[in-house]
């Protein structure tokens, strides 16, 4: 079964921006209707751009898929950078690091990650995080976290789709080989590191009394890294006066014997119709996609194109009272945000930039 191909679309809007979009018409685009979108780290980049004064006016709409949450203070970023530079006998300066080949610098980061757990008392959650390379709130390029900036009105002129997948961290649980090996002690450790507030383990166990250790381990990291930051981003954008649409991908991947659920990155082959690559087949099944996979692809792809073209993906806008959410599944529906238990657990966490602890 072959996926349908999208058709070209155009629209009109306010006078075009200047700068980097001056040449977009050459590629068939409309300079009056520029949309940026990305997933995971790229989703975080999209949200960060919307909070950066230097990027104001360069695009009209944005789609942040699985917006990655951690932001660093300058002090924590400097401490981590110092540890990475030390792997190559360098100081954490532009002059010193510019002498290291980019691939070797990435390897230095990997070597630092191998012992990152030793820095838990200094780096907090970043000592257990998947990557060190996340945005820093430096007060200049990024004056504040996107949540704070957007709630204050930054980016209100940029229309937004934000959303996440239901089982974000399941991909990493399965890929790491840890599925079925997480015990209560390990779940407690992760809940303590990543959960909100000093009583996170108790709060999560009370909110999800039937959850296994595996599911608690997965849920709190899904919430910390992707789900709650993405939700907070949408709430802040709506609060600041922006036009906001929110979604959750709930359709479960048939890959890995059905163990993955609606995992992280499942939206990528569904947005791009990537049924033929190894990655696409791993998540969507192969060699031919199911009718359900094609249906979800068609719905998501058409929504993204409609939003980029006309600023309307086909479902109601999001606000902090009703939290209407498009659920992408075999049969798409619109409902109140379904992860309400997690939302309440994180409701009073300010998601401030992570500090250097000592």
């Amino acid at each position: 079964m072959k996926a349908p191909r999208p058709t070209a679309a155009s629209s009109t809007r306010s006078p075009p921006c200047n700068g980097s979009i001056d040449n977009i018409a050459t590629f068939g685009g409309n300079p009056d209707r520029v949309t940026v979108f990305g997933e995971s780290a790229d989703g975080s980049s999209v949200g960060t751009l919307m909070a950066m004064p230097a990027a104001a006016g360069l695009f009209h709409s944005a789609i942040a898929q699985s917006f990655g949450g951690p932001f660093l203070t300058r002090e924590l970023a400097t401490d981590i950078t110092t540890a990475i530079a030390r792997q190559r006998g360098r100081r954490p300066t532009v002059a010193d690091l510019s002498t290291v080949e980019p691939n070797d610098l990435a390897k230095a980061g990997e070597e630092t990650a191998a012992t990152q757990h030793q820095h838990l008392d200094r780096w907090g959650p970043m000592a257990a995080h998947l990557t060190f390379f996340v945005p820093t709130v430096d007060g200049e390029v990024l004056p504040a976290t996107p949540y704070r900036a957007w709630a204050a009105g930054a980016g209100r002129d940029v229309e937004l789709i934000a959303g996440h997948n239901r089982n974000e961290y399941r991909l990493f649980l399965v890929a790491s080989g840890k599925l079925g090996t997480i015990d209560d002690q390990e779940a407690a450790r992760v809940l303590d590191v990543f959960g909100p507030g000093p009583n996170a383990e108790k709060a999560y166990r009370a909110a999800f009394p039937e959850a296994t250790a595996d599911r608690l381990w997965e849920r709190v990291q899904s919430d910390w890294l992707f789900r709650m930051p993405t939700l907070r981003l949408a709430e802040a954008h709506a609060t600041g006066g922006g036009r906001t649409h929110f979604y959750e991908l709930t359709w479960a991947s048939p890959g890995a014997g059905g163990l993955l659920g609606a995992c992280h990155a499942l939206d990528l082959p569904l947005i791009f119709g990537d049924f033929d690559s190894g990655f696409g087949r791993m998540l969507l099944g192969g060699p031919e996609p199911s009718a359900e996979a094609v249906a979800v692809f068609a719905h998501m792809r058409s929504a993204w194109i409609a939003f980029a073209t006309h600023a309307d993906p086909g479902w109601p806008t999001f606000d902090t009272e009703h939290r209407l959410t498009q659920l992408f599944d075999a049969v798409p529906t619109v409902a109140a945000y379904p992860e309400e238990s997690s939302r309440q657990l994180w409701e009073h966490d300010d998601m401030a930039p992570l500090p250097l602890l000592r």
Side-chain angles (χ1 to χ4, degrees), residues 29-48:
N30 182 351
D32 298 336
R33 183 72 217 168
V34 176
T35 299
V36 296
F37 77 102
E39 184 265 359
S40 193
D42 292 331
S44 181
S45 296
V46 167
T48 301

Side-chain angles (χ1 to χ4, degrees), residues 219-266:
R219 179 173 285 277
V220 70
Q221 294 188 84
S222 293
D223 285 346
W224 178 80
L225 184 54
F226 296 117
R227 300 199 309 178
M228 295 304 103
T230 308
L231 176 65
R232 186 66 56 83
L233 199 67
E235 291 176 334
H237 188 251
T239 297
R243 181 179 175 86
T244 313
H245 297 269
F246 197 75
Y247 76 89
E248 181 178 54
L249 174 60
T250 56
W251 183 76
S253 165
L259 296 176
L260 292 170
C263 67
H264 187 65
L266 177 60

Side-chain angles (χ1 to χ4, degrees), residues 273-343:
D274 177 19
F275 297 109
D276 297 325
S277 73
F279 182 73
R281 291 189 181 194
M282 179 188 77
L283 291 178
L284 302 181
E288 295 293 334
S290 68
E292 277 193 2
V294 172
V296 178
F297 152 76
H299 190 191
M300 294 189 77
R301 172 67 76 89
S302 63
W304 266 225
I305 292 174
F307 178 73
T309 307
H310 305 297
D312 184 0
W315 70 87
T317 55
F318 177 91
D319 61 58
T320 56
E321 179 182 1
H322 302 98
R323 296 188 177 85
L324 293 179
T325 303
Q326 170 71 57
L327 306 181
F328 286 110
D329 213 314
V331 179
T333 58
V334 174
Y337 182 60
E339 312 302 337
E340 181 64 13
S341 294
S342 288
R343 188 195 70 78

